[in-house]
Amino acid sequence: KMKINQISLDESGEHMGVCSEDGKVQVFGLYSAEEFHETFDCPIKIVAVHPHFVRSHFKQFVTGGKKLLLYERGWMNRWKPSVLHEGEGNIRNVKWRGHLIAWANNMGVKILDVISKQRITNVPRDDISLRPDMYPCSLCWKDNLTLIIGWGNSVKICSVKERHASEMRDLPNRYVEIVFQFDTEFYISGLAPLCDQLVILSYVKEISEKTEVECCARPRLDIVQPLPESCEEISSDALTVRGFQENECRDYHLEYSEGESLFYIISPRDVVVAKERDQDDHIDWLLEKKKYEEALMAAEISQKTIKKHKILDIGLAYINHLVEKGEYDLAARKCQKILGKNTELWEFEVYKFKEIGQLKAISRYLPRRDPVLKPLIYEMVLHEFLESDYEGFATLIKEWPGDLYNNTIIVQAVVDHLKKDPQNKTLLRTLAELYTYDQRYGRALEIYLTLRHKDVFQLIHKHNLFSSIRDKIVLLMDFDSEKAVDMLLDNEDKISIDRVVEELENRPELQHVYLHKLFKRDHHKGQRYHEKQISLYAEYDRPNLLPFLRDSTHCPLEKALEICQQRNFVEETVYLLSRMGNSRSALKMIMEELQDVDKAIEFAKEQDDGELWEDLILYSIDKPPFITGLLNNIGTHVDPILLIHRIKEGMEIPNLRDSLVKILQDYNLQILLREGCKKILVADSLSLLKKMHRTQMKGVLVDEENICESCLSPILPSDASKSFNVVVFHCRHMFHKECLPVSNTVSPVQFCNICSAKHRGPGSAILEMKK
């Protein structure tokens, strides 16, 4: 038995190359019979098969000892070797990717293009003091064009690029550029790519605290982020492997599986598998750190990929954690999201909150629809509030649907508490809501009216409770007369006008409010109460009495006059007297009671009665201020001379000159207006006459379609050479000359017989055609 130095697989995993310490090299198919054997006279440390060895035209592999040999299968299935490189010591490492082979010897790292058989570059090693057999070179391809080199404590990342055609000359068509280069703290035993980062297996030496002698420490697996001239450490782990104290740098190897993020750390006694942390690992770490919110979020995001954890379990742990911390409200709020529609878990949590005396905290978040819990759960919460928080209890009753709990049980509980505190408005209001849920609207209405609650009218409308308020109209009016009246009038078919008036008999002020609004809506519906309304307006609403008297056609005028005279309502009395035809008494009252000449003149203008003007002048003739008012106002209604002739000589009249000037100005203005109207009339008449003349001067079309209105034959003869006479009137009626009847009048003007007969006004002949 000899030590196997290296195993190489192609990318498909179907072919394997093996080399051993006794110089044997073997390449064979794992699933096929093809096999190749070769024996050398020295140990072979390295073998690498073509990545696409499975394809027939890529049957190639390389071996490394003192020479780098390329074996290719040719004609007759014979393997032909060719030397790729020699003369720089033993080949220490070979990595094949695509059409590029990278190998390391004592001098450095070379890259060769298999297609062109051209060597592209040589990357010398930095620290030549390190023995290459003790500190071997680590090579790995990140992709087909990116090679990562680790040697000693130096890392280089090389990129293979195409050379521009103009630069080629005798140079290879590719070249290598080092894009990243940095040093590490320890010696490199292996390298592997991880996305844009690097995984480095490091060999560590440290000074012993006891003996102060340098000794081997545990190897480290680091993840670093390459930077152009340095690197950033992402994570670092020290690995415990057996016998690490005796191991050297060359004893460790790092292999990786592409696409699976699996890394194999190989030491003489152990193989350690490292894999990228998944969401389960992440959630484990979050739970360990008590970061439940983040753990729950991570589980929800990755619910399809996590295998170890369940969202519900994390959520329950989170709720317990919050309860332990005393954050009861937050814990209850999270129940909504975490427990979802699981009624059993909900009920379990409710009992848990009851045990710690925090039912109030979870009450706001209990499910109310889809799902619905057992009625006992909701009743338990309501009883808790009823014992300590009436306002909170009222809020829950308002927010929760009435079918969540047994209404009868809760009503009885509220009634029991009201025995201790009968006037508690919160409990009364809540009881009314419970009665409403239970469709006991009458009882609910009684409580609302007692409390003068704003929902009274809404309740009546919503549940049609008009029969229940027939004997409660006064209560409603006392609560809000405007709303009550509107509601009663809108539902007149359910509560009659007579019933409302009867109920308000002992409250005339409310009766007036109702009847006033009824009258404003319809002047005729309450006509039987118009006589009553006169007294009500007089007592409670004097400003609206006169408008009522004006608009009402059913009001008894004698009764109204009697009431207004008793109360000395002058304006109303004046209106009633004038409406009853007693204008002279009305005018006399204005003059004597009001002594308001302007109002008297206005009244006289409205009546437009000459006798009233005579009475007004007679009454005013011995009162200079009245005369002034008359002179200023009656100019356009009565001849001012009638007034001026009656003024006694020597009477002093205030502002007489101004009044006379105004009379003259008014007269002058009337003359100017008449002259202006006359000019407009004459101009319009002339304009219309000219227009008529122009119209009558226009020609009239006569063709074959026109007929004689008398004989009904065509107006034009069929033979145009014959002579004919035609008469055409302005009204467009046409006659043959011989068909027109002989006029009896001496006047030479002829008129259209048809238009004269129809009384349209005669049209004189405009054209007589002869030929």
Side-chain angles (χ1 to χ4, degrees):
K1 294 181 180 180
M2 295 300 294
K3 183 177 84 169
I4 292 175
N5 287 327
Q6 193 167 31
I7 295 173
S8 173
L9 287 169
D10 67 352
E11 286 183 358
S12 69
E14 294 184 19
H15 293 83
M16 179 189 289
V18 181
C19 63
S20 58
E21 194 67 24
D22 62 357
K24 288 182 180 179
V25 175
Q26 185 179 9
V27 178
F28 55 90
L30 294 172
Y31 308 104
S32 64
E34 61 180 318
E35 189 172 352
F36 168 79
H37 291 273
E38 182 72 44
T39 304
F40 294 87
D41 57 359
C42 62
I44 302 298
K45 303 288 186 182
I46 298 297
V47 67
V49 299
H50 195 294
H52 304 301
F53 194 88
V54 69
R55 299 181 190 174
S56 59
H57 54 287
F58 287 141
K59 298 296 184 186
Q60 297 174 318
F61 66 90
V62 293
T63 61
K66 294 190 178 297
K67 300 176 184 179
L68 182 65
L69 293 175
L70 171 65
Y71 284 83
E72 299 177 272
R73 191 167 71 176
W75 188 63
M76 297 292 289
N77 285 337
R78 293 182 179 178
W79 290 90
K80 177 188 172 184
S82 58
V83 178
L84 296 180
H85 184 70
E86 63 178 330
E88 293 183 357
N90 286 336
I91 308 299
R92 303 287 178 183
N93 198 352
V94 176
K95 294 293 179 185
W96 196 334
R97 182 69 174 254
H99 300 304
L100 298 174
I101 300 175
W103 72 91
N105 56 27
N106 294 347
M107 305 302 291
V109 176
K110 280 80 176 169
I111 301 175
L112 178 128
D113 188 335
V114 177
I115 302 298
S116 63
K117 298 293 195 319
Q118 286 183 315
R119 193 164 53 167
I120 297 171
T121 190
N122 174 41
V123 182
R125 64 190 179 109
D126 294 336
D127 190 349
I128 57 173
S129 64
L130 296 174
R131 286 175 54 187
D133 59 332
M134 297 297 290
Y135 295 90
C137 174
S138 297
L139 297 174
C140 69
W141 287 96
K142 181 181 176 185
D143 53 49
N144 285 356
L145 297 173
T146 307
L147 177 67
I148 305 170
I149 304 169
W151 208 335
N153 62 351
S154 170
V155 176
K156 294 184 177 73
I157 300 178
C158 308
S159 179
V160 180
K161 299 185 177 181
E162 295 286 340
R163 198 185 297 277
H164 194 272
S166 62
E167 300 175 353
M168 280 193 186
R169 298 176 190 156
D170 297 328
L171 299 172
N173 58 1
R174 296 187 184 187
Y175 69 97
V176 170
E177 180 182 327
I178 298 175
V179 290
F180 295 101
Q181 181 173 345
F182 56 87
D183 292 336
T184 62
E185 295 180 13
F186 310 110
Y187 298 111
I188 296 166
S189 293
L191 285 171
L194 178 64
C195 298
D196 291 334
Q197 298 167 344
L198 283 181
V199 178
I200 301 176
L201 178 63
S202 302
Y203 171 69
V204 182
K205 284 191 174 183
E206 61 184 8
I207 306 297
S208 173
E209 294 179 1
K210 296 178 180 178
T211 61
E212 295 186 358
V213 177
E214 190 177 60
C215 62
C216 297
R218 293 186 297 167
R220 285 173 47 148
L221 190 70
D222 297 342
I223 298 175
V224 300
Q225 177 69 55
L227 301 173
E229 295 182 358
S230 63
C231 66
E232 178 187 350
E233 186 179 278
I234 305 300
S235 71
S236 180
D237 292 288
L239 307 177
T240 301
V241 294
R242 288 178 294 172
F244 67 85
Q245 297 88 346
E246 292 86 28
N247 292 342
E248 295 291 341
C249 183
R250 63 182 178 183
D251 294 326
Y252 295 108
H253 299 280
L254 176 64
E255 296 292 338
Y256 68 98
S257 174
E258 281 191 63
E260 295 183 28
S261 295
L262 286 174
F263 301 89
Y264 302 91
I265 298 98
I266 301 164
S267 72
R269 296 187 184 180
D270 292 301
V271 175
V272 179
V273 180
K275 64 178 181 179
E276 194 174 3
R277 285 186 180 274
D278 57 15
Q279 278 299 94
D280 280 309
D281 297 323
H282 180 55
I283 292 168
D284 275 333
W285 182 82
L286 290 171
L287 292 174
E288 187 182 326
K289 299 292 182 183
K290 297 191 181 298
K291 296 183 178 183
Y292 292 96
E293 179 79 28
E294 294 173 35
L296 191 60
M297 194 180 300
E300 286 170 352
I301 292 169
S302 308
Q303 57 183 329
K304 292 183 179 178
T305 56
I306 57 174
K307 300 172 183 175
K308 184 178 174 183
H309 295 93
K310 292 181 180 177
I311 294 174
L312 183 59
D313 293 339
I314 297 170
L316 292 172
Y318 185 24
I319 293 170
N320 290 335
H321 173 69
L322 291 172
V323 169
E324 288 170 8
K325 284 174 64 180
E327 296 182 22
Y328 303 114
D329 186 74
L330 182 57
R333 197 186 324 152
K334 292 296 176 185
C335 285
Q336 280 186 312
K337 180 180 178 183
I338 293 163
L339 304 182
K341 297 182 180 182
N342 192 322
T343 53
E344 291 183 7
L345 283 175
W346 265 112
E347 289 168 9
F348 177 78
E349 288 298 328
V350 171
Y351 281 111
K352 190 194 294 183
F353 273 75
K354 178 178 172 58
E355 287 172 10
I356 58 174
Q358 290 296 330
L359 270 180
K360 287 185 181 180
I362 202 170
S363 64
R364 292 168 54 195
Y365 307 104
L366 286 177
R368 302 168 191 181
R369 275 188 176 80
D370 192 26
V372 174
L373 308 181
K374 292 176 184 175
L376 180 63
I377 299 293
Y378 301 101
E379 290 163 15
M380 187 168 65
V381 173
L382 288 172
H383 279 296
E384 179 83 11
F385 273 91
L386 197 53
E387 292 298 326
S388 57
D389 182 1
Y390 287 163
E391 288 296 335
F393 174 76
T395 303
L396 286 184
I397 293 296
K398 191 174 289 184
E399 291 178 355
W400 283 359
D403 55 358
L404 289 180
Y405 46 85
N406 188 322
N407 204 61
T408 308
I409 293 173
I410 302 302
V411 166
Q412 189 57 51
V414 175
V415 169
D416 291 343
H417 277 267
L418 275 170
K419 289 175 183 175
K420 305 171 193 172
D421 188 1
Q423 301 304 316
N424 189 292
K425 291 186 177 180
T426 303
L427 284 179
L428 285 169
R429 187 173 66 249
T430 310
L431 183 59
E433 288 176 7
L434 288 166
Y435 281 141
T436 304
Y437 288 142
D438 210 22
Q439 298 184 1
R440 289 189 271 180
Y441 303 117
R443 290 196 176 187
L445 186 62
E446 285 177 20
I447 296 173
Y448 278 137
L449 284 170
T450 305
L451 294 172
R452 302 169 73 88
H453 196 274
K454 61 182 177 58
D455 288 346
V456 166
F457 298 102
Q458 185 183 349
L459 186 73
I460 294 168
H461 276 294
K462 188 174 180 181
H463 302 291
N464 198 19
L465 302 179
F466 296 99
S467 58
S468 302
I469 61 166
R470 291 179 185 278
D471 56 347
K472 300 181 178 68
I473 292 171
V474 174
L475 278 173
L476 281 169
M477 293 283 283
D478 277 335
F479 174 31
D480 190 328
S481 61
E482 284 291 320
K483 276 189 178 180
V485 169
D486 284 337
M487 183 191 71
L488 292 167
L489 292 176
D490 290 340
N491 297 275
E492 184 189 324
D493 56 326
K494 295 163 186 166
I495 300 182
S496 66
I497 296 169
D498 297 339
R499 173 73 188 206
V500 176
V501 174
E502 182 187 339
E503 283 292 317
L504 297 174
E505 195 62 45
N506 296 327
R507 295 291 298 276
E509 74 280 7
L510 297 177
Q511 199 178 55
H512 163 69
V513 172
Y514 175 77
L515 288 171
H516 171 62
K517 209 147 197 181
L518 172 65
F519 179 74
K520 287 183 76 175
R521 285 199 181 193
D522 191 320
H523 293 348
H524 308 289
K525 275 190 178 176
Q527 62 187 43
R528 61 181 293 188
Y529 300 109
H530 282 199
E531 182 177 345
K532 179 193 283 285
Q533 280 186 268
I534 300 168
S535 301
L536 293 174
Y537 275 111
E539 182 69 28
Y540 301 108
D541 193 4
R542 163 81 187 280
N544 280 314
L545 175 57
L546 188 55
F548 170 74
L549 295 172
R550 283 181 178 146
D551 294 338
S552 173
T553 55
H554 308 286
C555 173
L557 298 180
E558 295 81 3
K559 177 71 174 176
L561 183 62
E562 180 186 339
I563 292 171
C564 291
Q565 285 175 336
Q566 283 175 357
R567 293 176 179 266
N568 199 27
F569 291 170
V570 178
E571 287 186 28
E572 290 82 354
T573 304
V574 167
Y575 168 74
L576 289 167
L577 287 171
S578 66
R579 186 170 167 185
M580 294 168 73
N582 196 350
S583 302
R584 302 186 80 171
S585 297
L587 181 65
K588 183 179 179 183
M589 196 167 189
I590 293 171
M591 300 294 284
E592 292 178 353
E593 297 289 336
L594 297 179
Q595 295 187 349
D596 187 340
V597 68
D598 293 330
K599 197 167 187 69
I601 292 166
E602 190 65 34
F603 182 75
K605 285 180 183 178
E606 287 176 4
Q607 301 299 319
D608 197 19
D609 185 348
E611 291 183 2
L612 279 182
W613 284 110
E614 187 70 25
D615 290 350
L616 182 55
I617 291 168
L618 287 173
Y619 185 83
S620 306
I621 205 69
D622 58 345
K623 298 178 181 62
F626 276 44
I627 292 173
T628 303
L630 284 169
L631 288 172
N632 286 337
N633 288 284
I634 69 171
T636 54
H637 295 272
V638 181
D639 188 352
I641 299 300
L642 294 173
L643 176 61
I644 293 168
H645 278 321
R646 297 187 185 188
I647 299 172
K648 296 176 183 177
E649 290 187 14
M651 181 182 285
E652 286 191 16
I653 298 169
N655 302 317
L656 178 60
R657 188 188 67 180
D658 294 342
S659 299
L660 292 174
V661 168
K662 187 174 184 304
I663 289 170
L664 292 172
Q665 285 176 340
D666 289 347
Y667 180 74
N668 188 39
L669 183 61
Q670 285 186 24
I671 298 298
L672 288 172
L673 283 170
R674 288 181 180 181
E675 288 179 354
C677 289
K678 183 180 177 183
K679 285 179 182 178
I680 292 168
L681 184 62
V682 170
D684 282 354
S685 300
L686 183 60
S687 172
L688 291 170
L689 183 62
K690 287 178 178 179
K691 183 178 179 182
M692 187 183 76
H693 185 257
R694 283 196 308 272
T695 305
Q696 290 183 346
M697 289 295 289
K698 290 180 179 179
V700 177
L701 174 66
V702 180
D703 56 19
E704 300 83 22
E705 293 182 4
N706 296 108
I707 60 170
C708 172
E709 298 292 341
S710 180
C711 67
L712 301 179
S713 59
I715 200 75
L716 297 177
S718 56
D719 188 357
S721 61
K722 291 182 180 179
S723 63
F724 62 91
N725 289 326
V726 174
V727 177
V728 181
F729 292 93
H730 290 304
C731 56
R732 301 301 186 266
H733 289 128
M734 302 175 188
F735 297 88
H736 293 123
K737 178 85 172 182
E738 58 272 15
C739 294
L740 271 175
V742 180
S743 176
N744 296 327
T745 61
V746 181
S747 172
V749 179
Q750 278 186 303
F751 298 103
C752 174
N753 296 332
I754 295 171
C755 293
S756 299
K758 291 182 178 178
H759 307 290
R760 290 183 181 173
S764 57
I766 62 166
L767 184 63
E768 184 173 332
M769 296 176 64
K770 293 183 180 180
K771 187 176 176 186

